[in-house]
Amino acid sequence: MISTADIRDATTVVLAAFGALFFLVGTIGLLRLPDFYARTHAATKCDTVGAGSLLIALAVFNGLDASTGKIIALAGLVLLSSPTTGHALARAAHRTGLAPWHAEKGRTP
Amino acid sequence: MKKAFVAALLIITAIPLLIGVAALPPHGETTAPVHTHISARYLMRGAEEAGADNIVTGVLLNYRGLDTAGEVTVIFTALVAGLAVLITRRKEPGAKADSAARGDVPAPPPVSPVVSFVVQLLAPFIALFAVYVILNGHVTPGGGFQGGAILGALFIALTIVLGEGRTRSLMPRLALPWMQGAALISFVVVGVLGAGLTGYFLGFPAEASLHLVRELMMLVLEAGIGLGGAAIFATLFLQMEAE
């Protein structure tokens, strides 16, 4: 028999694993991508989707109470602030004249 | 001559400090007095004696309140020193005002509408969070120093987004010195109040009937530290931005 608790646990595992996967990919990207723009892109994806989905996993696991409200608020904050940070970083770099990396220039990452 | 004097002063200061360090118990020794007496007392009786469930706050404001008063004095002195340096440099000939008038300095780039929107959207929540951290410091981790840092950071973010003109009004000229000195002032006020109640400067009444007074004294200290810290952050930022 599949109980409600099983569905809750399964949802938690799936969301948490998804978040962890995003963090893994994002970290690899941060280390391996060729230039500032691409690395910013990788790093902010971790914070947005990775942390967001981990937090939602925690909220699902915790059930309905005051702590869940706090977790949801945190998830909302992360979903707002990380993309903004990424945008501000990339915009500042672009305005100060940092050229993006191009493969055809023959530079190796 | 001046160098010799400075060197002599340094050596005279260093010798007692080095002797003191040499006499300390070995690092991490479990039988050191700090582990057998003070920490145990703080942990066992801190909550009831200091009137704060958060032991860090109890130690900071009650047991070692005088030490924290010294700390906020140091921070305030740092502000004074920082302003002294920044204002002097500003008045040097050929400063930025001239070069800006000649058009040498490019205008600052416009603020990103995305950043502006998000900062303005989150600002009330950040302000609420800062007040929560300041006022809830005696129960949960946090307190005046942390909340003040959040408040100061919020002010800086808003200044970047909205421009100095609109955030300056948050710090009116008349109230500004009182805000910058809020931490010191609150320590003096609470200290004198404590002296009246217990006979000791910064003494907190221990009687159960006066626990509300005690909590109020802690709240005043936390609010003063928070407001003062935020005002000092903001002042230094504005002064450096004006460079």
Side-chain angles (χ1 to χ4, degrees), chain A residues 77 80-81 84 87-88 91 95, chain B residues 109-112 114-115 118 121-122:
Chain A
L77 180 71
L80 272 174
S81 64
T84 313
H87 160 77
R91 184 178 153 105
R95 282 187 175 272
Chain B
V111 177
S112 150
V114 177
V115 175
V118 171
L121 180 72
L122 291 180

